[in-house]
Amino acid sequence: DEVAAQINDEKLTLRDMAFYVGYEEYQIQQEALVYDPDDPNRYWSMRVEGGFMNAVARKNAMQMALHDELFYQMAMEEGIKLEDFWEDLTERQGETALGISRKDAKKTIQRIAYAQKYQEVYAQLHNRTYDDYAYMEDSYQKLLKKQKYKVNDKVWNRVSFGNVTYNNKKKED
């Protein structure tokens, strides 16, 4: 329950971030298995975008969480209603690997659904496309800069991407 980040006075704990860690690890692990099925850690250890893949995963997970939290907050301010509920967490990424309950995961997924719905509304209001407000796009980055947010690197950097829901640690000889 340590605070990993904060946006507009809303604190995001490691528990709140668990879904994003599992999701990002899953995505990169699939790429790692294509790259080298016998030693996926080789892919996780590659240098990309000026850092190692696990650092890129950490950055992506944080950016997705901040993105979704911001749009969730905006959706709540606008009184957006949610009609459809979706779920994308596998059993493997649940309580055992991430240390969160199904209830915690569902809470995060519901916030994501609200955020995505409002992202579409916000884009239309500003004559943009939904994709313009993806977490890595300029329109979203400009919006984020107008917010009060902070990442607690001391807490967040302790998450060992590539080793939370998967065991990519090198085996000792």
Side-chain angles (χ1 to χ4, degrees):
D1 289 323
E2 291 179 85
V3 175
Q6 184 172 331
I7 183 164
N8 298 329
D9 298 324
E10 183 66 31
K11 295 176 180 174
L12 299 175
T13 66
L14 286 175
R15 181 183 310 273
D16 297 326
M17 303 296 294
F19 176 84
Y20 297 96
V21 171
Y23 178 83
E24 188 65 14
E25 277 202 347
Y26 177 78
Q27 296 301 317
I28 292 179
Q29 184 71 4
Q30 298 314 299
E31 296 169 15
L33 291 170
V34 170
Y35 181 78
D36 188 342
D38 296 325
D39 185 9
N41 193 50
R42 283 186 59 219
Y43 186 77
W44 281 95
S45 300
M46 286 178 60
R47 288 188 62 81
V48 294
E49 298 179 21
F52 291 104
M53 185 58 77
N54 58 6
V56 171
R58 178 180 291 107
K59 177 184 171 188
N60 288 347
M62 177 59 71
Q63 290 302 314
M64 284 187 289
L66 288 171
H67 169 274
D68 290 347
E69 179 59 30
L70 174 57
F71 278 102
Y72 173 77
Q73 290 174 12
M74 294 166 72
M76 294 297 96
E77 287 174 13
E78 294 291 328
I80 296 295
K81 300 291 182 212
L82 186 63
E83 295 173 15
D84 297 322
F85 183 81
W86 55 270
E87 192 170 321
D88 193 25
L89 187 67
T90 65
E91 290 300 323
R92 181 183 74 266
Q93 294 170 313
E95 292 183 34
T96 304
L98 295 174
I100 62 169
S101 69
R102 203 80 170 145
K103 181 180 175 183
D104 290 333
K106 286 183 178 184
K107 176 183 166 190
T108 301
I109 291 167
Q110 186 174 28
R111 292 175 81 87
I112 292 167
Y114 273 110
Q116 289 180 340
K117 184 170 184 173
Y118 192 70
Q119 182 178 340
E120 182 66 41
V121 169
Y122 189 83
Q124 289 174 1
L125 288 172
H126 292 86
N127 295 319
R128 300 271 188 191
T129 69
Y130 177 87
D131 291 338
D132 287 335
Y133 289 98
Y135 72 89
M136 71 293 267
E137 296 299 326
D138 289 340
S139 294
Y140 168 70
Q141 290 299 320
K142 288 176 185 173
L143 177 63
L144 180 62
K145 285 180 182 178
K146 295 177 184 177
Q147 311 304 311
K148 180 180 153 189
Y149 77 96
K150 158 178 119 168
V151 175
N152 183 345
D153 290 328
K154 185 177 179 182
V155 171
W156 185 237
N157 288 339
R158 289 195 332 239
V159 179
S160 178
F161 277 80
N163 297 306
V164 178
T165 61
Y166 297 96
N167 184 8
N168 283 322
K169 294 180 181 171
K170 277 201 163 185
K171 293 178 176 67
E172 300 296 325
D173 293 326

